[in-house]
Amino acid sequence: MERIRNIMVLLRGQLWILPLILSLLALGLAYWVLTFGPSLLEDWGDGELWWIYGGDASSARGLLSSLLSGLMTMFSLVVSVTFVILTLAANQLGPRLVPTFMGDRQIQAVIGLFLGTILYVLVVLRSLNETLGNEGVPHAAVTIGSVLTVICLFALLFYVHKVARAIVADNIVARVAHDLRGNVRGMLPETGESDDAMPDDIPPKAGTVSLGRSGYIQVIDYDRLVSVACRERALLEVKVRAGHFVLAGGEHVVVHAARPLGIDAVEAVRDAVVVGEERSPAQDLEHGLRQLVEIGLRALSPGINDPHTAVAVVDRLGAAFEEIFQRVLPPSLLPDQEGVIRVIARRSDVQGLVDAAFDPLRQAGQEIPAVLIRMADVLGQLASILRRQDTQDAVVQHLGKLAETAEAARLAPCDRAAVLLRVERARIATSTRAKEARIHVL
C-alpha cells in the first residue's frame, strides 16, 4: 500500500495527466457528436431546437475559426500566468513547493478544459467544407463548441481568482499544512501499542547490505523485509529511513544471522527500498514539516523580512503536532507471524520531529521576539494533549531551548522578559495539564 501511495503522490504532482485525460474525453465527445449528433436531432421539432446553431457550412467555419483563435489566446494567457506563479513560488517560498502548485487539481482542470476545447473545435472544424449543405452541417457539434468556449471564459475568470489567492503566503501555508495533516492521518494510526524492549538474543553480525544506488529513500517495504528475514532466519537492522539521502555504498542494512545473505536475498532487500531523485511524503513524516519550515525560513530571511508569515507557519506547525501527538508512531520492532522480531526499523521519533520543525525557525528568528513568543504559546497550547512521556519531554526540552535562545540573543530587556514569561507559562501548563491528562487516562 505504501508503494501504491508513493506512486499516487508522484502522479499527483504531474501537471499533464489530468489535462491529457480531459483532452482525450474531448476528442471522444467530438467523434460521438459528429457521428451520432444528426440522428439525435431527428426526433426534435424545429421550435424546440431554437438554441441549436442553424447556419450553413461557411458561417460555421467562420464561427469556429474565431472561437479557435480566441481559445488559443486565452490558453496562452493561462500558460503564461502559470509560469509566473511557479517562478514566484520558487523564488519567494522555495522550489520544493512547486509540486504543490503543479498538483493542484483546479489548475490542472482549467488547463485541461482549454486543451480539450481547442482539440474539440479543431476536430469539428476540419469536418466542415463548402460542399456541405445546410442539412449536412453538424449543428449539434458547432453548438457544443460554442458552449464549451463560454465555459472556458468563466474558467478563465475562476483561474484569475485562483491565482490571485495562490500568491498569498497565508493561503499557501494553509494548503501545505492541510496536505501535511492528511499525510499524518494516512501514516499514523490513532491507536496502537508502543515498542517492547530490544530483544536480548540478537544474533551475531553476519554482514551488511548496501542499496547499490544513490538518492532519496522514498518508501521502505518493511513487510517484504520481514518476509526475507523470516525466510533467511535472520534479523535485519535497517539503518536508514524514508527521507534520508543515501550513497550507493554503505552499511544500509545490517544482517544479524548465522551466515551472510545470499545473492537472491540481497537483491530482495534492495528491491524492498524505493530510491528516487527527490523526497516523497508517502512514508516521510518530516517532508511536510520541512516544507512549512522552508516557508518560514524564507520569510525570516533579510531579503524578505516577513515575521507575520513565520508566525503563521508556527501556528500551522502547532496544528500538525496536535495531530501527531494524538496518534501512535509506527513501531520500530517488526515481528513475523510467530512473534519473533525480524526487522529493526529506524523510525522518526517525537523529539526528532519537534526539533526538525522548531529548531530552524528558533535559530532564524532568535532576534525576533514575535516569533519566539508565538512559538512558546503554541507549545503551551499543546499541553492538554500530552498524554505520553515522550511528547511531554519533547515539548519541555524545546521550551528550554527557547529560554536559552532568548537569554543569549540580542534582545531588548523588555522583549527578553516577555519571551521568558511566555516560556515559563508554557512550562507550567505543560507540567500541570500533562499530569491531569495522565491521571484522567489512569
Side-chain angles (χ1 to χ4, degrees):
M1 292 301 297
E2 290 174 338
R3 285 175 177 266
I4 296 175
R5 188 162 177 259
N6 185 52
I7 294 174
M8 296 302 297
V9 169
L10 295 177
L11 292 179
R12 182 184 177 87
Q14 304 297 318
L15 185 62
W16 56 273
I17 294 181
L18 184 58
L20 176 62
I21 295 174
L22 294 178
S23 299
L24 293 177
L25 291 176
L27 292 176
L29 175 63
Y31 173 79
W32 182 81
V33 172
L34 291 175
T35 304
F36 302 102
S39 62
L40 295 176
L41 300 179
E42 292 178 355
D43 298 332
W44 293 80
D46 294 337
E48 297 175 347
L49 299 178
W50 58 267
W51 48 272
I52 295 291
Y53 176 79
D56 56 10
S58 177
S59 59
R61 287 182 61 88
L63 174 62
L64 292 181
S65 297
S66 300
L67 295 180
L68 181 61
S69 177
L71 287 170
M72 294 294 290
T73 302
M74 289 189 293
F75 181 68
S76 300
L77 176 62
V78 169
V79 173
S80 300
V81 172
T82 302
F83 274 106
V84 170
I85 291 302
L86 294 179
T87 303
L88 289 175
N91 292 335
Q92 296 185 5
L93 302 172
R96 278 159 290 277
L97 289 175
V98 170
T100 301
F101 290 92
M102 295 178 61
D104 193 302
R105 290 286 185 242
Q106 295 176 345
I107 293 178
Q108 294 177 0
V110 171
I111 294 177
L113 177 62
F114 274 95
L115 279 176
T117 304
I118 290 173
L119 293 176
Y120 176 89
V121 172
L122 279 174
V123 172
V124 176
L125 183 61
R126 66 184 297 272
S127 68
L128 299 174
N129 57 70
E130 301 297 338
T131 61
L132 293 175
N134 188 48
E135 298 297 330
V137 175
H139 301 288
V142 176
T143 303
I144 293 176
S146 303
V147 172
L148 289 176
T149 303
V150 173
I151 295 176
C152 286
L153 287 174
F154 287 99
L156 180 61
L157 179 62
F158 166 78
Y159 185 78
V160 173
H161 171 76
K162 173 76 176 180
V163 167
R165 291 184 56 84
I167 61 178
V168 179
D170 288 350
N171 294 331
I172 299 173
V173 171
R175 169 68 185 277
V176 176
H178 178 270
D179 294 341
L180 171 59
R181 291 196 300 273
N183 292 332
V184 169
R185 298 188 188 104
M187 282 187 283
L188 302 183
E190 295 184 2
T191 59
E193 297 181 357
S194 59
D195 287 327
D196 297 329
M198 190 71 66
D200 297 330
D201 54 343
I202 296 180
K205 180 179 177 179
T208 62
V209 176
S210 62
L211 297 180
R213 54 193 183 276
S214 62
Y216 288 98
I217 295 179
Q218 296 178 342
V219 169
I220 299 178
D221 190 346
Y222 290 106
D223 291 336
R224 180 177 294 187
L225 290 180
V226 170
S227 300
V228 174
C230 187
R231 186 170 59 249
E232 299 293 326
R233 298 184 179 277
L235 173 64
L236 302 180
E237 184 179 358
V238 183
K239 294 292 188 179
V240 294
R241 60 175 172 81
H244 282 178
F245 183 88
V246 296
L247 302 178
E251 297 184 355
H252 302 139
V253 179
V254 178
V255 181
H256 297 277
R259 57 182 176 80
L261 299 182
I263 297 178
D264 293 339
V266 170
E267 291 300 324
V269 170
R270 290 174 175 173
D271 291 340
V273 182
V274 178
V275 180
E277 297 297 327
E278 57 186 10
R279 298 181 68 165
S280 170
Q283 204 181 43
D284 185 6
L285 274 174
E286 295 184 7
H287 182 271
L289 295 175
R290 293 187 182 277
Q291 282 188 322
L292 282 175
V293 169
E294 183 175 2
I295 298 175
L297 292 179
R298 287 180 175 267
L300 294 174
S301 63
I304 299 179
N305 193 19
D306 182 12
H308 298 288
T309 299
V311 170
V313 169
V314 172
D315 291 337
R316 297 296 179 174
L317 287 174
F321 278 104
E322 185 180 20
E323 287 279 351
I324 295 174
F325 287 170
Q326 298 182 86
R327 295 176 179 268
V328 181
L329 295 178
S332 300
L333 304 180
L334 305 177
D336 58 12
Q337 295 181 352
E338 299 179 356
V340 180
I341 301 299
R342 291 300 183 183
V343 174
I344 301 176
R346 182 173 180 178
R347 302 282 199 177
S348 299
D349 57 5
V350 173
Q351 186 64 59
L353 293 174
V354 173
D355 291 344
F358 291 110
D359 275 348
L361 295 175
R362 174 181 54 81
Q363 294 162 1
Q366 59 182 339
E367 297 182 0
I368 304 178
V371 176
L372 300 179
I373 289 174
R374 189 56 190 162
M375 202 175 299
D377 290 343
V378 168
L379 292 174
Q381 292 173 6
L382 294 173
S384 59
I385 61 171
L386 302 180
R387 297 181 175 88
R388 301 196 311 268
Q389 188 63 40
D390 57 343
T391 58
Q392 182 184 3
D393 292 342
V395 171
V396 170
Q397 181 175 345
H398 202 81
L399 288 173
K401 293 181 180 180
L402 278 175
E404 294 178 2
T405 300
E407 292 174 352
R410 294 179 299 177
L411 297 176
C414 58
D415 292 335
R416 181 180 293 106
V419 174
L420 294 177
L421 177 61
R422 298 299 183 91
V423 170
E424 187 61 26
R425 288 179 180 176
R427 278 177 174 170
I428 296 175
T430 300
S431 177
T432 303
R433 296 181 183 178
K435 291 179 181 179
E436 293 176 354
R438 285 198 294 270
I439 292 174
H440 178 74
V441 171
L442 293 175

